[in-house]
Amino acid sequence: MQSAEQILTNKSIRPTAMRILLMEHFLQFPLASFSLNELEDIFEHSDRITIYRTLKTFQDKGVLHTIEGTNSLKYALCEEECSKDGHQDRHPHFHCTICDQLQCIESVYIPNINLPKGYKADGVSMTIKGQCATCTNT
Ligand SMILES: [Zn+2]
Ligand SMILES: [Zn+2]
Ligand SMILES: [Zn+2]
């Protein structure tokens, strides 16, 4: 597996201390998503603006994609094909109604949807609701 620093360099992001720290956090939980507030609690010694700017950079460079959560926007690691030229995340997200986690289901691919003439899609999002693997095991 690539180090946080390598991944950042590959996506032409200068690996600053904060960027490496955030990247390492996301690599630890590859399919999980985190909101700005959650990350602020985890990195309590970093300021909110710096965390926000880092997330924004990661999103622009194809490192993280956003997911609409119930109350907030969540950030999760991208698939390898994503770059600064665009996101290729065509997987559904799973919203667990017990633990309230939003996870990427990258093993599933959302197929192309045939739209009526004249419509142009910029992306597709699919959220599945239910109980996640961790919650059904307990
Ligand atoms: Zn992406
Ligand atoms: Zn759950
Ligand atoms: Zn995702």
Side-chain angles (χ1 to χ4, degrees), residues 18 22 25-26 33-46 51-52 55 64 75:
M18 185 69 222
L22 258 187
H25 173 74
F26 278 99
S33 65
F34 301 90
S35 67
L36 177 59
N37 286 343
E38 286 165 341
L39 292 167
E40 215 187 337
D41 287 343
I42 298 165
F43 300 102
E44 47 180 337
H45 299 296
S46 311
I51 299 174
Y52 178 73
L55 291 172
L64 296 178
Y75 296 83

Short mmCIF file of all heavy atoms in Angstrom, two decimals, residues 18 22 25-26 33-46 51-52 55 64 75:
data_model
loop_
_atom_site.label_atom_id
_atom_site.label_comp_id
_atom_site.label_asym_id
_atom_site.label_seq_id
_atom_site.Cartn_x
_atom_site.Cartn_y
_atom_site.Cartn_z
N MET A 18 -0.04 18.94 7.70
CA MET A 18 -1.49 18.80 7.89
C MET A 18 -2.10 17.87 6.85
O MET A 18 -2.96 17.04 7.16
CB MET A 18 -2.15 20.18 7.82
CG MET A 18 -3.64 20.18 8.13
SD MET A 18 -3.97 19.81 9.87
CE MET A 18 -5.36 18.71 9.76
N LEU A 22 -4.07 14.34 7.69
CA LEU A 22 -5.45 14.06 7.27
C LEU A 22 -5.51 12.84 6.36
O LEU A 22 -6.39 11.99 6.51
CB LEU A 22 -6.01 15.26 6.52
CG LEU A 22 -6.95 16.21 7.25
CD1 LEU A 22 -7.51 17.23 6.28
CD2 LEU A 22 -8.11 15.46 7.90
N HIS A 25 -5.24 9.66 8.22
CA HIS A 25 -6.50 9.35 8.90
C HIS A 25 -7.47 8.66 7.94
O HIS A 25 -8.05 7.63 8.27
CB HIS A 25 -7.11 10.62 9.47
CG HIS A 25 -8.47 10.41 10.03
ND1 HIS A 25 -8.67 9.76 11.23
CD2 HIS A 25 -9.70 10.70 9.54
CE1 HIS A 25 -9.98 9.68 11.45
NE2 HIS A 25 -10.62 10.24 10.44
N PHE A 26 -7.63 9.22 6.74
CA PHE A 26 -8.56 8.62 5.77
C PHE A 26 -8.09 7.23 5.33
O PHE A 26 -8.91 6.34 5.14
CB PHE A 26 -8.74 9.54 4.55
CG PHE A 26 -9.74 10.64 4.79
CD1 PHE A 26 -9.34 11.91 5.12
CD2 PHE A 26 -11.10 10.37 4.72
CE1 PHE A 26 -10.26 12.92 5.37
CE2 PHE A 26 -12.05 11.37 4.96
CZ PHE A 26 -11.62 12.64 5.28
N SER A 33 -16.65 7.73 6.00
CA SER A 33 -16.72 9.14 5.64
C SER A 33 -16.77 9.99 6.91
O SER A 33 -17.24 9.53 7.95
CB SER A 33 -17.96 9.41 4.80
OG SER A 33 -19.12 9.17 5.56
N PHE A 34 -16.25 11.19 6.81
CA PHE A 34 -16.17 12.08 7.98
C PHE A 34 -16.61 13.48 7.59
O PHE A 34 -16.31 13.95 6.51
CB PHE A 34 -14.72 12.15 8.50
CG PHE A 34 -14.18 10.80 8.91
CD1 PHE A 34 -13.51 10.01 7.98
CD2 PHE A 34 -14.35 10.34 10.19
CE1 PHE A 34 -13.02 8.76 8.34
CE2 PHE A 34 -13.86 9.09 10.56
CZ PHE A 34 -13.19 8.30 9.64
N SER A 35 -17.33 14.13 8.49
CA SER A 35 -17.72 15.51 8.27
C SER A 35 -16.64 16.43 8.81
O SER A 35 -15.78 15.99 9.58
CB SER A 35 -19.05 15.80 8.96
OG SER A 35 -18.87 15.73 10.36
N LEU A 36 -16.72 17.70 8.43
CA LEU A 36 -15.74 18.67 8.93
C LEU A 36 -15.77 18.72 10.46
O LEU A 36 -14.71 18.75 11.11
CB LEU A 36 -16.06 20.05 8.34
CG LEU A 36 -15.18 21.22 8.79
CD1 LEU A 36 -13.71 20.98 8.47
CD2 LEU A 36 -15.64 22.51 8.13
N ASN A 37 -16.96 18.68 11.05
CA ASN A 37 -17.06 18.71 12.52
C ASN A 37 -16.38 17.51 13.16
O ASN A 37 -15.71 17.65 14.18
CB ASN A 37 -18.52 18.75 12.95
CG ASN A 37 -19.14 20.11 12.72
OD1 ASN A 37 -18.42 21.10 12.54
ND2 ASN A 37 -20.45 20.17 12.69
N GLU A 38 -16.58 16.34 12.58
CA GLU A 38 -15.95 15.13 13.13
C GLU A 38 -14.43 15.23 13.06
O GLU A 38 -13.73 14.87 13.99
CB GLU A 38 -16.44 13.88 12.38
CG GLU A 38 -17.86 13.49 12.72
CD GLU A 38 -18.47 12.49 11.74
OE1 GLU A 38 -17.97 12.34 10.60
OE2 GLU A 38 -19.47 11.88 12.12
N LEU A 39 -13.93 15.74 11.93
CA LEU A 39 -12.48 15.87 11.77
C LEU A 39 -11.91 16.92 12.72
O LEU A 39 -10.81 16.76 13.25
CB LEU A 39 -12.14 16.21 10.32
CG LEU A 39 -12.43 15.08 9.34
CD1 LEU A 39 -12.39 15.59 7.91
CD2 LEU A 39 -11.47 13.91 9.50
N GLU A 40 -12.70 17.93 12.98
CA GLU A 40 -12.27 18.97 13.92
C GLU A 40 -12.12 18.38 15.32
O GLU A 40 -11.19 18.73 16.06
CB GLU A 40 -13.34 20.06 13.93
CG GLU A 40 -12.80 21.44 14.12
CD GLU A 40 -13.92 22.45 14.30
OE1 GLU A 40 -15.07 22.19 13.88
OE2 GLU A 40 -13.63 23.49 14.90
N ASP A 41 -13.01 17.47 15.69
CA ASP A 41 -12.92 16.81 17.00
C ASP A 41 -11.70 15.88 17.06
O ASP A 41 -11.06 15.75 18.09
CB ASP A 41 -14.17 15.97 17.27
CG ASP A 41 -15.37 16.85 17.57
OD1 ASP A 41 -15.16 18.04 17.89
OD2 ASP A 41 -16.51 16.35 17.49
N ILE A 42 -11.42 15.20 15.95
CA ILE A 42 -10.29 14.27 15.92
C ILE A 42 -8.97 15.03 15.97
O ILE A 42 -8.06 14.68 16.71
CB ILE A 42 -10.37 13.36 14.67
CG1 ILE A 42 -11.65 12.51 14.71
CG2 ILE A 42 -9.12 12.48 14.55
CD1 ILE A 42 -12.04 11.84 13.41
N PHE A 43 -8.88 16.10 15.17
CA PHE A 43 -7.65 16.91 15.13
C PHE A 43 -7.87 18.19 15.92
O PHE A 43 -7.90 19.28 15.37
CB PHE A 43 -7.26 17.22 13.68
CG PHE A 43 -7.01 15.98 12.87
CD1 PHE A 43 -7.96 15.51 11.98
CD2 PHE A 43 -5.82 15.28 13.02
CE1 PHE A 43 -7.73 14.35 11.24
CE2 PHE A 43 -5.59 14.12 12.28
CZ PHE A 43 -6.55 13.66 11.40
N GLU A 44 -8.02 18.04 17.21
CA GLU A 44 -8.42 19.19 18.03
C GLU A 44 -7.35 20.29 18.11
O GLU A 44 -7.65 21.40 18.51
CB GLU A 44 -8.84 18.74 19.43
CG GLU A 44 -7.87 17.77 20.06
CD GLU A 44 -8.32 17.33 21.45
OE1 GLU A 44 -9.09 18.06 22.08
OE2 GLU A 44 -7.88 16.26 21.89
N HIS A 45 -6.11 19.93 17.73
CA HIS A 45 -5.07 20.97 17.80
C HIS A 45 -4.91 21.74 16.48
O HIS A 45 -4.10 22.64 16.38
CB HIS A 45 -3.73 20.35 18.20
CG HIS A 45 -3.81 19.70 19.55
ND1 HIS A 45 -4.05 20.43 20.70
CD2 HIS A 45 -3.72 18.41 19.93
CE1 HIS A 45 -4.10 19.60 21.73
NE2 HIS A 45 -3.91 18.37 21.30
N SER A 46 -5.68 21.36 15.47
CA SER A 46 -5.59 22.06 14.19
C SER A 46 -6.80 22.98 14.06
O SER A 46 -7.86 22.68 14.59
CB SER A 46 -5.63 21.06 13.04
OG SER A 46 -4.72 20.03 13.27
N ILE A 51 -8.25 22.71 8.25
CA ILE A 51 -8.83 21.41 7.92
C ILE A 51 -9.75 21.57 6.71
O ILE A 51 -9.69 20.81 5.75
CB ILE A 51 -9.62 20.82 9.12
CG1 ILE A 51 -8.69 20.60 10.32
CG2 ILE A 51 -10.31 19.51 8.73
CD1 ILE A 51 -9.40 20.16 11.59
N TYR A 52 -10.58 22.62 6.73
CA TYR A 52 -11.51 22.85 5.63
C TYR A 52 -10.77 23.04 4.31
O TYR A 52 -11.13 22.45 3.29
CB TYR A 52 -12.42 24.05 5.94
CG TYR A 52 -13.37 24.34 4.81
CD1 TYR A 52 -14.47 23.50 4.58
CD2 TYR A 52 -13.15 25.39 3.93
CE1 TYR A 52 -15.32 23.72 3.53
CE2 TYR A 52 -13.99 25.62 2.87
CZ TYR A 52 -15.08 24.79 2.67
OH TYR A 52 -15.92 25.00 1.61
N LEU A 55 -9.39 19.78 3.02
CA LEU A 55 -10.45 18.95 2.44
C LEU A 55 -10.81 19.45 1.04
O LEU A 55 -11.00 18.66 0.11
CB LEU A 55 -11.70 18.99 3.32
CG LEU A 55 -11.59 18.29 4.69
CD1 LEU A 55 -12.83 18.58 5.52
CD2 LEU A 55 -11.40 16.79 4.53
N LEU A 64 -10.47 13.08 -2.38
CA LEU A 64 -11.67 12.83 -1.57
C LEU A 64 -12.91 13.23 -2.38
O LEU A 64 -12.85 14.16 -3.18
CB LEU A 64 -11.66 13.68 -0.29
CG LEU A 64 -10.57 13.45 0.74
CD1 LEU A 64 -10.76 14.44 1.89
CD2 LEU A 64 -10.60 12.04 1.29
N TYR A 75 -16.88 13.55 3.85
CA TYR A 75 -15.78 13.35 2.92
C TYR A 75 -15.28 11.92 3.03
O TYR A 75 -15.14 11.39 4.13
CB TYR A 75 -14.62 14.31 3.23
CG TYR A 75 -14.98 15.76 3.05
CD1 TYR A 75 -15.64 16.46 4.06
CD2 TYR A 75 -14.69 16.42 1.86
CE1 TYR A 75 -15.99 17.80 3.89
CE2 TYR A 75 -15.03 17.76 1.69
CZ TYR A 75 -15.68 18.44 2.71
OH TYR A 75 -16.02 19.76 2.54
#
